[in-house]
Structures are given as structure tokens and as C-alpha cells.
């Protein structure tokens, strides 16, 4: 049983505490059985991912990804609720967490910057799980350096025509809608990008080339060939694309930290259960001080990660719209710390820790990508340093 004392922290309202109990019970009942088999083939990955979206939709949990005016639960996105959901799902299944996260990340540009028409088109279907969205930012030659992206969108009468290639696109090939970031050229670099809402069945979009990764997730390259969209598909204004992307990441980076926290809590729980039962040299592992030292380090890292994640979420919900610094700290620390916690758990398990399919082995594969996607750990350090230096200069 995972530690729940963090719910008493002042970052939460009673409604969050109540919510945490409900989602926890629901995940044990409805997600754990679906997650028992780890998918292997691309077809299995897609089928399981869609099954998670359907279950999350039927359970009403996806309503937390969408504002109430468009079929959601609450007036505006509540990052603490998103974090509690991701943490809880991640404790049971990395793919279920991913399925939930994508409903939020893929639709957030529209929630934050879309027109009423775009919101009506996308958000109610995201809230029920009827539509899957994707966030198409990275390219083969520009991952971290967003301002250098080269997919182009050229104005042609009442339309824009998109050409070029994206990669590492989550929900690629199964998404119904893609938010695509492209160069429209209002200015050089970051100020010359715009975002577009593109339907998955647009004949100019091809997401069929899949990418297989160490922890199975739906991921693909997305190629645009004379992909024509009406000018009304633009999300935000011309040249606002960088701001749309970064503001979305400001919300979702904290939730990546929350997913890492869920993985770390599960690893700690598994390690304690193993160490208190496994015997060596006439004692249980938990009686050895070297194992106790590991467990202490793991527990401290879990709490420190939780403090940073929920500090960032609370700040975004109650104090400030822009939480670039807090979100970067939460993602950086929680993902790096979770990697260490999971590695320690594998070590405590010994040979059993590297057997395919045991929970700590799955966690070992699941955590790795979180230190890369939505901004690598190195990028988070650049962001944090930049913010700290700017704050000092502004006095
Ligand atoms: N919210 C709103 N606006 C933001 C912002 C944010 N979080 N961050 C930057 N901006 C604005 C800046 O204020 C600046 O605006 P002005 O030109 O009007 O001053 C503009 O955007 C450019 O900002 P900056 O100069 O900091 O951009 P850089 O090109 O130096 O890029 C990094 C900054 C590297 C931090 C950014 O590109 C980044 O986060 N990269 C990682 C991307 C990523 O997560 N990739 C994974 C893909 S998603 S799986």
C-alpha cells in the first residue's frame, strides 16, 4: 500500500483528497486487470492503448482533461487533479498513464488557445474518449531546439498547405486529431511558428511509419505532403506557435513529474515488500543496513519529488499562469529521482529484478523515456538556470 500521507499537505483541497481515494479504487478495479498483459506487437499496443482511453472515458476521468463548457468537469484545467490521476495510473500501468496524458497534452493547445469552434469540434469527444488527440512538435532535425523546426505551412488563399516530417509523435497513427506546429514565417526562429488542428484522416497526413521503443507505446513518424487545412484550423494567432507549445508544456511537464512519481512509489513499494520477505544469511533483506540505507534514500527521493510536483501544480492552479521554472524543476527532479529509485529497486530484487515482465523490470523500461520527452533533463536545467538568472537580474 503506497504512502498517502502526502495528501494531507496544504497543496490540496478536500476535493482533491476525495478524488485521490476514488481514482485509486477505480484503477485497482478497472485498470489493473486490463494491464496484466504487457502488449508486444504494434496491434496489441494500439488495442490496449485505445482500451485504456475507452475505460477512462467511460469512468468519467477524461473529463478532467477538458473545461466544463466543453464537456469537462471543471471550469479550467486543474493541474493537481491531472497530477493525482497520472501518479495513480502510473503506479499500475505506464501505458494507461500515457493514454490519459495524451488526452490532455494533445487537446491542451486547443483548450488554452483554440477558438470556440475548435473547442466544440475536439474537446467534448476528448472528454468521452471518442477522439484521440496528438501533439506534433518534434522533428527528425529539431527535438530540443523547437525554434529551429522546419515543417512548413504556406498560405494559399483560404487555406494553409503543410509539408515536412514530424517524429516521436505519441498516438501517431491512432490519433483522430493532430495539433501540428509548423513554420509560417512571420519572423525568424521562435516567432515564426504557428499551430494547426489537423484531422487524422486528412489525405496529406501519413502516420503509418511506426517506431518501436523499449516500453511499448503508440509512437510514429508523421509525414505531411501538401496537407491542406483551412486557415480556421490555426490554433492561436499567426506566429504564436512557440508560445502555444511552451504554455502547453508548462502544464504538462509537472504531470510528467507526477507519472515519474507514480513509477517511483510503485518501485519503493515493491522493494519494501521484497526486502521484508526475502531471506539471506538467516535474516530478511530489510534487516541489513545497506538495504535500509537504500530504502531511506528511495523514500526521501519520493517525498522530495512529490513536494516539487505538487508545488508546481498548486502554483499553476492558484497563483500564476506561467510556471515555467516550477514545472521544469518538478520534471527534472522527479524523472531523474525515479530513475534512481527504480534502479535501487532492481538492485534489491537481485536476479529477479531483471526477469522480463516483473514490475520493477517493467518500471526500469518505462521510466527512461520520461527523462527525454517533453524536454530532456538537460533542457530543464537550461530553463531553470535561465529563469533564476533572469529573476536575479530583475532584482
Ligand atoms: N510560456 C510562454 N512563452 C514562452 C515560454 C513559456 N513557457 N517559454 C518561452 N516563451 C517565449 C519567450 O518569452 C520568448 O518570447 P519573446 O520572443 O516574445 O521574448 C519566446 O517564447 C522564445 O523564448 P526563448 O528565447 O527562451 O526560446 P529558445 O529558442 O531559447 O528555446 C527552450 C527555449 C530550449 C527552453 C525550448 O525550445 C524548449 O523548451 N525546448 C524543449 C522542447 C521540448 O520539450 N521538446 C520535446 C517535444 S514535446 S514531446
Amino acid at each position: 500500500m503506497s504512502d498517502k500521507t502526502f495528501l494531507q499537505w496544504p497543496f490540496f483541497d478536500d476535493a482533491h483528497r476525495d478524488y485521490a481515494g476514488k481514482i485509486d479504487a477505480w484503477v485497482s478495479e478497472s485498470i489493473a486487470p486490463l494491464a496484466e498483459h504487457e502488449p508486444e506487437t504494434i496491434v496489441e499496443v494500439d488495442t490496449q492503448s485505445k482500451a485504456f482511453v475507452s475505460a477512462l472515458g467511460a469512468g468519467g476521468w477524461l473529463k478532467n482533461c477538458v473545461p466544463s463548457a466543453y464537456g469537462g468537469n471543471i471550469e479550467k484545467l486543474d493541474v493537481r487533479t491531472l497530477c493525482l490521476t497520472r501518479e495513480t495510473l502510473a503506479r499500475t500501468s505506464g501505458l494507461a498513464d500515457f493514454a490519459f496524458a495524451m488526452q490532455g497534452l494533445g487537446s491542451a493547445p486547443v483548450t488554452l488557445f483554440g477558438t470556440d469552434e475548435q473547442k466544440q469540434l475536439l474537446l467534448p469527444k476528448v472528454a468521452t474518449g471518442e477522439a484521440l488527440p496528438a501533439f506534433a512538435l518534434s522533428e527528425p532535425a529539431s527535438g530540443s531546439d523547437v525554434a529551429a523546426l522546419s515543417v512548413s505551412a504556406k498560405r494559399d488563399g483560404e487555406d494553409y498547405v503543410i509539408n515536412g516530417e514530424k517524429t516521436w509523435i505519441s498516438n501517431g497513427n491512432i490519433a483522430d486529431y493532430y495539433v501540428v506546429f509548423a513554420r509560417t514565417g512571420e519572423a525568424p526562429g521562435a516567432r515564426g511558428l504557428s499551430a494547426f488542428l489537423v484531422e487524422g484522416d486528412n489525405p496529406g497526413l501519413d502516420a503509418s511509419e511506426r517506431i518501436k521503443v523499449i516500453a511499448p507505446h503508440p509512437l510514429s513518424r508523421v509525414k505531411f505532403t501538401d496537407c491542406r487545412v483551412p486557415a480556421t484550423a490555426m490554433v492561436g494567432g499567426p506566429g504564436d506557435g512557440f508560445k502555444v507549445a511552451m504554455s502547453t508544456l508548462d502544464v504538462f511537464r509537472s504531470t510528467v513529474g507526477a507519472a515519474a512519481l507514480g513509477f517511483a512509489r510503485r518501485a519503493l513499494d515493491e522493494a519494501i515488500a521484497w526486502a521484508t520477505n526475502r531471506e539471506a544469511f538467516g535474516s530478511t533483506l530489510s534487516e541489513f543496513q545497506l538495504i535500509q540505507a537504500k530504502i531511506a534514500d528511495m523514500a526521501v527521493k519520493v517525498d522530495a519529488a512529490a513536494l516539487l510536483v505538487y508545488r508546481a501544480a498548486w502554483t499553476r492552479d492558484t497563483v500564476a499562469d506561467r510556471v515555467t521554472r516550477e514545472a521544469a524543476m518538478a520534471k527534472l527532479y522527479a524523472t531523474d529521482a525515479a530513475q534512481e529509485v527504480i534502479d535501487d529497486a532492481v538492485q534489491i530484487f537481485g536476479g529477479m529484478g531483471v526477469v522480463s515482465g516483473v514490475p520493477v523490470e517493467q518500471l526500469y523500461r518505462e521510466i527512461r523515456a520520461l527523462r527525454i520527452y517533453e524536454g530532456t533533463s538537460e533542457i530543464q536545467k537550461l530553463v531553470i538556470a535561465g529563469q533564476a538568472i533572469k529573476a536575479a537580474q530583475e532584482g
Side-chain angles (χ1 to χ4, degrees):
M1 172 82 173
S2 280
D3 177 34
K4 297 285 189 311
T5 54
F6 73 100
L7 290 168
Q8 300 313 315
W9 293 348
F11 295 131
F12 300 105
D13 302 333
D14 281 341
H16 293 114
R17 298 184 181 104
D18 185 46
Y19 179 85
K22 287 189 177 137
I23 179 97
D24 196 35
W26 180 82
V27 168
S28 304
E29 195 184 300
S30 305
I31 292 294
L34 289 178
E36 256 170 34
H37 168 70
E38 188 179 13
E40 282 165 27
T41 63
I42 282 173
V43 173
E44 280 183 355
V45 170
D46 290 356
T47 306
Q48 196 174 99
S49 205
K50 288 187 206 164
F52 285 137
V53 173
S54 299
L56 286 158
W61 308 102
L62 296 178
K63 290 183 175 197
N64 296 307
C65 298
V66 165
S68 44
Y70 301 94
N73 261 350
I74 22 193
E75 208 178 311
K76 68 181 188 78
L77 290 180
D78 184 77
V79 186
R80 288 166 293 176
T81 303
L82 296 175
C83 286
L84 285 168
T85 311
R86 288 200 68 176
E87 179 187 335
T88 310
L89 287 165
R91 269 196 279 118
T92 293
S93 159
L95 192 56
D97 162 60
F98 164 93
F100 175 80
M102 283 314 302
Q103 293 300 104
L105 177 72
S107 65
V110 171
T111 299
L112 298 174
F113 295 93
T115 59
D116 184 55
E117 198 185 327
Q118 291 166 347
K119 290 178 182 171
Q120 296 286 5
L121 176 71
L122 179 68
L123 302 182
K125 287 189 265 177
V126 165
T128 56
E130 215 179 308
L132 276 67
F135 183 81
L137 181 62
S138 296
E139 297 182 5
S142 90
S144 295
D145 187 4
V146 172
L149 69 77
S150 70
V151 163
S152 67
K154 294 221 162 62
R155 184 85 197 219
D156 181 23
E158 291 303 300
D159 298 338
Y160 277 90
V161 180
I162 306 175
N163 277 291
E165 186 174 328
K166 297 282 178 187
T167 192
W168 313 120
I169 306 308
S170 295
N171 273 352
N173 213 32
I174 58 171
D176 300 286
Y177 294 90
Y178 294 75
V179 175
V180 180
F181 295 87
R183 183 161 300 287
T184 37
E186 290 73 14
R191 292 181 181 191
L193 310 179
S194 305
F196 296 89
L197 184 61
V198 183
E199 305 206 2
D201 61 2
N202 187 309
L205 182 156
D206 173 9
S208 59
E209 189 181 332
R210 301 293 296 259
I211 306 168
K212 249 185 136 179
V213 283
I214 53 175
H217 288 229
L219 205 63
S220 82
R221 287 179 172 248
V222 183
K223 291 174 189 152
F224 298 92
T225 311
D226 295 332
C227 175
R228 189 170 280 275
V229 292
T232 51
M234 188 180 277
V235 181
D240 284 348
F242 193 87
K243 198 171 123 200
V244 173
M246 291 303 137
S247 305
T248 301
L249 292 173
D250 273 356
V251 173
F252 280 88
R253 278 179 179 156
S254 309
T255 78
V256 178
L261 176 60
F263 291 151
R265 277 199 209 281
R266 176 69 185 268
L268 177 59
D269 295 346
E270 294 284 337
I272 292 174
W274 178 265
T276 48
N277 283 302
R278 167 85 176 169
E279 290 196 359
F281 305 104
S283 316
T284 61
L285 292 185
S286 59
E287 286 170 81
F288 293 110
Q289 289 184 337
L290 282 175
I291 299 293
Q292 290 175 7
K294 271 199 200 310
I295 289 173
D297 288 343
M298 293 159 83
V300 172
K301 284 172 190 165
V302 164
D303 269 16
L307 281 162
L308 283 171
V309 165
Y310 289 111
R311 187 272 297 252
W314 170 84
T315 307
R316 177 65 167 71
D317 291 340
T318 64
V319 180
D321 270 349
R322 189 154 169 189
V323 287
T324 307
R325 170 177 161 275
E326 291 82 356
M329 284 187 179
K331 180 181 189 281
L332 170 68
Y333 184 80
T335 57
D336 282 358
Q339 180 90 58
E340 293 162 9
V341 168
I342 293 166
D343 190 62
D344 276 345
V346 169
Q347 196 68 14
I348 290 172
F349 267 73
M352 276 308 287
V354 290
V355 171
S356 293
V358 301
V360 293
E361 182 273 339
Q362 281 186 324
L363 291 166
Y364 193 76
R365 287 182 285 113
E366 284 287 354
I367 187 58
R368 194 62 187 85
L370 277 65
R371 292 169 60 211
I372 299 171
Y373 72 61
E374 291 186 40
T376 61
S377 293
E378 291 74 15
I379 287 292
Q380 306 310 328
K381 286 183 187 174
L382 292 183
V383 170
I384 295 162
Q387 296 278 315
I389 293 165
K390 194 167 132 210
Q393 285 169 344
E394 287 169 358

